[in-house]
Amino acid sequence: MKKVLYACALILGLWSCSDTYDEPLPEYESELMVEAYINQANPFLNYALLTKSIDYDGQSPNVPGVSGAKVTLYEGVKEGTELKWNESGIEYQAVDSVPGLYFPPIELLFLATEGAYYKLVVEAEGIVTTAVTQVPVLVEMDSLWVDYVYNEKVDSIQAFLKFSFSDPEAFGNHYLIHDYRGAENEWPLLWGALDLEVITDDIFFNGQPFVYSEVFPRRWGDTTNFYLSSITRETHDFWESYENSRDNGGPFSQPINVNSTFDNSRGIFQGMAVDTRRIIVQKP
C-alpha cells in the first residue's frame, strides 16, 4: 500500500512541475519536394512534380508548386560497378496551367527501357538535387477473374475481383498494386489519382504465384483498372515509410522520417515497369 501511495505522490509531483511554453517557435524553412516517375508503358506519365513542404500548422490545403526550375533526365547503362550516362539529356518543360508540373517536350516523349538506369537532375531556387532509379523488368499479371459471394450482412451477392501474377525465382522483387475505380480511361492523368493498395516484396512468396483480391464493386457496372508495377527496393522503402508516417499513432508518438531518393531534397524518383488490366463487373 505504501508503494502505491508513493507512486501516486510521485506522479502528482511531476504533474505539478509542468509549465506552459510560451516562447516563439523558430520560423519554419520549407524544403524542396520532388515527385517524379518514369515508366515503360505510357509516355504521358513520365513527369516531375515540384512543390515546397509546408509547416505542421499550415492552414492552407494548397501545396505551393515550384516554377522556373530546370529538370533534366539522363539515361544510362551499368558497366561493371559504374553507371555511364548519356551526355545529352532531355530537358523537361513546365506546364503553365499547373505550377510545379514538368513534362518532356511533345516531340521528345519516350517510353523507358526495362533494365535501364535513369538520372534526374533538378535545379530550383538555388538548389541542385539528383536521384537515380532503374526501370525493372516487367512482371505481368497471369489472370483476372471474379468470384461472386453471398454476404449475409447485406443480404446480397457481392463480387470479389482477383488477379494473380507469378513472382520470378530470384529474391529481391518489389511491387506496387493500385486500382482505379470508376475509371473512364485506361490510364489516369497523373499517378497520384490512383488508390495505393499494396506495397510488397517477394520475401514470403519468392518464385510463387501471388493472388490479390478486392471486394468490388461500389455499384454494379463500374469499371476498374488494376496496375501491377515492378519497382526498385528504394521505391519500396520510400512508400513503406510514407505509409508508416500516415499511420503514426497520433500526435504523441515518435515521429517517422519519410525516406528520400534525392540527395539534396525530399521526394521520390520512381522507376516502374507497369502492367495494367481493365474489367467491368456486371451483376450476375
Side-chain angles (χ1 to χ4, degrees):
M1 185 65 180
K2 290 182 179 180
K3 291 182 179 179
V4 174
L5 292 174
Y6 176 76
C8 293
L10 179 60
I11 293 172
L12 289 174
L14 292 173
W15 184 271
S16 64
C17 293
S18 64
D19 196 4
T20 301
Y21 181 84
D22 56 4
E23 295 295 325
L25 294 174
E27 184 177 350
Y28 177 76
E29 295 183 5
S30 293
E31 293 183 272
L32 177 65
M33 312 292 291
V34 184
E35 182 181 346
Y37 302 89
I38 185 168
N39 76 98
Q40 83 333 323
N42 188 328
F44 294 98
L45 286 171
N46 296 327
Y47 64 88
L49 180 62
L50 276 58
T51 58
K52 300 293 291 291
S53 62
I54 57 176
D55 64 338
Y56 183 81
D57 294 324
Q59 299 299 314
S60 174
N62 299 318
V63 178
V66 176
S67 301
K70 182 179 180 182
V71 180
T72 310
L73 178 76
Y74 299 90
E75 187 177 59
V77 295
K78 200 166 190 178
E79 297 181 0
T81 58
E82 294 187 1
L83 289 172
K84 301 293 185 180
W85 303 105
N86 292 342
E87 294 184 0
S88 59
I90 297 176
E91 187 171 336
Y92 287 18
Q93 294 179 343
V95 178
D96 295 334
S97 58
V98 184
L101 185 60
Y102 296 80
F103 278 97
I106 291 295
E107 65 274 12
L108 295 178
L109 286 176
F110 66 97
L111 292 175
T113 302
E114 294 178 38
Y117 291 84
Y118 295 89
K119 177 172 68 174
L120 194 71
V121 180
V122 177
E123 303 175 45
E125 299 186 345
I127 295 174
V128 179
T129 184
T130 303
V132 173
T133 191
Q134 184 184 24
V135 174
V137 175
L138 178 68
V139 174
E140 297 181 339
M141 301 180 206
D142 295 328
S143 56
L144 175 66
W145 71 97
V146 178
D147 287 342
Y148 293 97
V149 179
Y150 177 73
N151 187 338
E152 293 183 354
K153 293 182 179 180
V154 296
D155 191 25
S156 67
I157 297 293
Q158 286 189 318
F160 281 78
L161 191 118
K162 301 180 179 181
F163 73 79
S164 66
F165 65 91
S166 299
D167 180 70
E169 288 293 337
F171 275 107
N173 298 294
H174 302 79
Y175 304 98
L176 290 179
I177 297 173
H178 299 82
D179 68 41
Y180 190 22
R181 304 182 192 185
E184 296 182 0
N185 302 305
E186 182 181 6
W187 299 95
L189 292 178
L190 296 174
W191 290 114
L194 302 180
D195 295 317
L196 178 60
E197 298 292 342
V198 174
I199 310 161
T200 189
D201 58 32
D202 62 355
I203 189 171
F204 294 116
F205 57 90
N206 178 58
Q208 303 297 319
F210 181 91
V211 177
Y212 174 74
S213 60
E214 174 83 28
V215 177
F216 177 86
R218 293 178 180 145
R219 58 179 179 270
W220 298 109
D222 271 355
T223 300
T224 293
N225 298 345
F226 281 97
Y227 305 87
L228 173 64
S229 299
S230 300
I231 57 173
T232 64
R233 179 180 61 82
E234 291 78 11
T235 296
H236 170 277
D237 293 348
F238 171 86
W239 287 114
E240 189 173 61
S241 68
Y242 176 83
E243 288 298 306
N244 289 339
S245 70
R246 293 177 62 184
D247 302 324
N248 198 26
F252 302 109
S253 60
Q254 182 177 356
I256 297 175
N257 290 324
V258 177
N259 291 359
S260 177
T261 65
F262 283 87
D263 60 3
N264 196 27
S265 64
R266 297 283 183 180
I268 178 71
F269 179 35
Q270 179 171 313
M272 51 202 297
V274 188
D275 186 31
T276 182
R277 301 291 176 91
R278 181 176 176 88
I279 190 170
I280 301 174
V281 179
Q282 301 294 347
K283 188 174 181 178

